[in-house]
């Protein structure tokens, strides 16, 4: 079957009109209309024939089509109840496509994706951070995450210590992945146009080099960044840690209690977490 390309303005408008759809702001719907961007995402995800891909929010199937054409087995989770009927037509004839209607934050990913898989998505911006942290913090067999996010979020993901963008989200992501921005995407590549520039970010998931309990590490990092302007000592106490325990841990880790969370490297956070 010959599939007409969805990733352009006229095809997208035609599909929206045919199904009487209007992009939902509440669901973060900004549909891609730029085939070069779809190709760029597929390339950044290094898709080869037979790769298992989880797509979050397939929309009308624009990016999905690019992934399927590259030979991926795509499992897509879409919250909008109106879209399964649309996808049944726009992606008709692709055999390696499976759709789950539901909320990505609620589906049982362990059951849905039992084998090694990549995540590829043009994320709904209202829950980007929550989705990324869920994917990172759960023990899932994810090897790579390639996502479109707001440029500002991308900058937080790749930030270095002592910068304004460096925070709990930076540490959570960099703890588990090598992160880079593949390319930026202007508002004109979508309808409706978002108000901000977007970026495609590539996270290569790897074993963390630090021997530390991940749950406790996350707790310490969140507590440390809880009150950004306070010292590390006060932030940790403010988050419920005992003063003596914090003082001792900081001393064992060789970290000045008066420092602020945003000055700590990943290695220092790990040292701190194992010093409790
Ligand atoms: N992939 C399409 C594209 O690139 O044109 C659509 C991307 S659009 C930015 C985000 C998609 O995520 C929408 O289709 C929206 O309905 C869906 N979505 C929003 N919240 C979701 C959730 N909690 N779980 C799954 N999908 C969600």
């Amino acid at each position: 079957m010959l599939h007409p390309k969805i990733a352009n303005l006229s095809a997208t408008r035609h599909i929206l009109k045919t199904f009487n759809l209007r992009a939902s702001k509440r669901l973060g719907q900004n549909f891609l209309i730029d085939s070069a961007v779809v190709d760029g995402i597929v390339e950044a995800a290094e898709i080869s024939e037979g790769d298992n891909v989880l797509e979050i929010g397939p929309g009308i199937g624009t990016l999905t089509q690019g992934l399927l054409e590259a030979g991926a087995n795509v499992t897509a989770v879409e919250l909008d109840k109106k879209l399964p009927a649309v996808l049944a037509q726009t992606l008709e004839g692709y055999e390696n496509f499976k759709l789950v209607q539901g909320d990505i934050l609620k589906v049982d990913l362990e059951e849905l994706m039992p084998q090694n898989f990549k995540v590829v998505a043009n994320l709904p911006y209202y829950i980007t951070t929550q989705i990324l942290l869920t994917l990172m913090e759960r023990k899932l067999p994810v090897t790579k995450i390639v996502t479109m996010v707001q440029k500002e979020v991308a900058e937080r993901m790749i930030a270095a210590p002592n910068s304004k963008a460096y925070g709990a989200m930076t540490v959570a992501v960099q703890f588990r992945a090598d992160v880079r921005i593949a390319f930026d995407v202007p508002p004109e590549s979508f309808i409706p146009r978002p108000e901000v520039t977007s970026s495609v970010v590539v996270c290569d998931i790897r074993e963390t080099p630090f021997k530390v309990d991940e749950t406790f590490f996350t707790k310490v990092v969140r507590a440390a960044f809880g009150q950004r302007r306070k010292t590390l000592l006060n932030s940790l106490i403010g988050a419920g840690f005992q003063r003596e325990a914090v003082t001792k841990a900081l001393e064992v880790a060789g970290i000045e209690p008066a420092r602020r969370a945003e000055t700590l490297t990943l290695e220092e956070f790990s040292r701190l977490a194992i010093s409790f």
Side-chain angles (χ1 to χ4, degrees):
M1 182 185 281
L2 191 62
H3 287 90
K5 256 203 176 160
I6 307 170
N8 59 71
L9 181 60
S10 60
T12 303
R13 277 210 179 124
H14 176 72
I15 293 166
L16 295 178
K17 194 162 168 241
T18 305
F19 290 91
N20 200 14
L21 291 173
R22 209 164 285 161
S24 157
K25 215 173 173 173
R26 186 177 60 84
L27 291 176
Q29 291 180 346
N30 298 97
F31 301 114
L32 267 172
I33 51 166
D34 188 336
S35 64
V37 173
V38 170
D39 294 347
I41 295 174
V42 172
E43 193 178 313
E46 298 177 321
I47 299 295
S48 15
E49 191 79 34
D51 273 358
N52 295 319
V53 172
L54 170 70
E55 190 193 0
I56 300 159
I60 60 170
T62 316
L63 176 56
T64 327
Q65 186 179 42
L67 294 164
L68 291 166
E69 288 287 340
N73 300 319
V74 181
T75 301
V77 179
E78 172 59 60
L79 182 57
D80 189 339
K81 290 200 175 82
K82 290 197 217 103
L83 293 176
V86 180
L87 290 162
Q89 287 206 25
T90 57
L91 300 179
E92 190 192 357
Y94 285 106
E95 282 173 8
N96 39 359
F97 174 62
K98 176 176 159 189
L99 179 67
V100 175
Q101 195 276 313
D103 184 341
I104 189 64
L105 297 175
K106 295 194 183 136
V107 293
D108 186 343
L109 288 175
E110 283 81 358
E111 194 189 303
L112 194 62
M113 307 299 296
Q115 287 171 358
N116 276 7
F117 68 99
K118 296 174 176 175
V119 176
V120 183
N122 172 12
L123 288 177
Y125 290 168
Y126 74 106
I127 44 166
T128 301
T129 309
Q130 240 176 309
I131 293 176
L132 287 171
L133 293 183
T134 302
L135 291 171
M136 295 274 173
E137 287 171 7
R138 282 216 223 152
K139 289 252 174 267
L140 298 164
V142 190
T143 57
K144 204 180 192 63
I145 304 179
V146 178
T147 53
M148 176 93 70
V149 299
Q150 294 182 37
K151 189 174 166 64
E152 178 239 323
V153 174
E155 278 164 359
R156 282 201 269 143
M157 292 169 77
I158 62 157
N162 291 307
S163 65
K164 221 171 134 192
Y166 189 73
M169 139 93 151
T170 317
V171 177
V173 171
Q174 294 184 10
F175 183 68
R176 298 165 179 93
D178 293 323
V179 193
R180 66 183 175 87
I181 294 182
F183 56 94
D184 288 345
V185 182
E188 299 77 54
S189 295
F190 307 85
I191 55 163
R193 291 182 184 186
E195 276 157 25
V196 293
T197 299
S198 304
S199 304
V200 172
V201 179
V202 179
C203 297
D204 282 305
I205 311 294
R206 48 150 167 69
E207 283 288 310
T208 176
F210 309 108
K211 299 250 169 307
V212 48
D213 177 80
E214 290 204 28
T215 313
F216 188 67
F217 174 84
T218 303
K219 191 174 160 191
V220 170
V221 171
R222 288 203 177 147
F225 280 105
Q227 289 153 303
R228 252 186 115 86
R229 266 173 285 148
K230 286 197 175 176
T231 63
L232 209 47
L233 178 68
N234 287 336
S235 294
L236 291 167
I237 293 169
F241 286 87
Q242 295 295 317
R243 175 179 287 274
E244 299 85 87
V246 176
T247 312
K248 188 177 145 270
L250 286 166
E251 196 186 323
V252 173
I255 296 167
E256 271 293 310
R259 282 176 62 186
R260 288 168 211 279
E262 67 260 31
T263 69
L264 262 66
T265 62
L266 221 60
E267 199 260 329
E268 286 177 312
F269 271 118
S270 306
R271 230 164 55 213
L272 177 59
I274 51 176
S275 299
F276 271 93

